[in-house]
C-alpha cells in the first residue's frame, strides 16, 4: 500500500492541475466572448446615438448637444415605460 500512496498523491496532483488548466481555458474563452459582446454593444450604442442625432436634426432640433440628447432619450424611455405600465394595468383590470 505504501507504493500506492505516492502514486495516488501524484494522480491527485495531476488531476488538480488538469482541472485548473480547464478552468483557466474556460475563463479565457468567456472573457473573450464578453469582450466581443461589449465591443458589439458599444458599436450599437454608437449607431443609436447617430440615429438619435439624425432624428433630432430631421425634427428641426438644432441644439444636439449631449444634455439635450440625454433629456430626449429619458423622456422617450419614460413615455415607453408609462405606456407599458398602462397596458399592463389595462390587462389586469379587464380580467
Amino acid at each position: 500500500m505504501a507504493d500506492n500512496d505516492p502514486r495516488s498523491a501524484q494522480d491527485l496532483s495531476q488531476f488538480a492541475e488538469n482541472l485548473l488548466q480547464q478552468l483557466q481555458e474556460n475563463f479565457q474563452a468567456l472573457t473573450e466572448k464578453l469582450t466581443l459582446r461589449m465591443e458589439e454593444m458599444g458599436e450599437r450604442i454608437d449607431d443609436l446615438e447617430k440615429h438619435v442625432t439624425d432624428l433630432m436634426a430631421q425634427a428641426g432640433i438644432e441644439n444636439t448637444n449631449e444634455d439635450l440628447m440625454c433629456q430626449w432619450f429619458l423622456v422617450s424611455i419614460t413615455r415607453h415605460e408609462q405606456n407599458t405600465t398602462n397596458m399592463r394595468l389595462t390587462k389586469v383590470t379587464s380580467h
Side-chain angles (χ1 to χ4, degrees):
M1 273 206 140
D3 292 337
N4 290 339
D5 288 340
R7 182 176 175 149
S8 295
Q10 185 178 7
D11 288 346
L12 182 59
S13 176
Q14 185 63 42
F15 174 79
E17 189 174 324
N18 290 340
L19 182 61
L20 288 173
Q21 180 64 32
Q22 288 175 352
L23 287 172
Q24 184 177 6
E25 290 170 2
N26 289 341
F27 182 77
Q28 183 63 33
L30 182 60
T31 300
E32 290 171 6
K33 185 184 266 188
L34 286 173
T35 300
L36 178 62
R37 288 193 177 175
M38 288 175 60
E39 289 172 359
E40 290 172 351
M41 186 59 67
E43 291 172 5
R44 289 179 181 175
I45 290 170
D46 290 344
D47 289 344
L48 178 61
E49 185 177 343
K50 181 186 178 304
H51 285 51
V52 168
T53 302
D54 291 346
L55 288 171
M56 291 176 71
Q58 289 175 9
I61 301 172
E62 295 187 21
N63 186 2
T64 58
N65 66 28
E66 191 171 316
D67 290 337
L68 185 58
M69 287 178 58
C70 287
Q71 290 173 357
W72 179 84
F73 187 68
L74 289 173
V75 167
S76 297
I77 290 173
T78 302
R79 286 183 183 156
H80 175 73
E81 288 176 353
Q82 288 172 343
N83 290 338
T84 303
T85 301
N86 289 339
M87 288 173 50
R88 287 181 185 154
L89 288 174
T90 302
K91 287 180 182 179
V92 169
T93 56
S94 66
H95 286 3

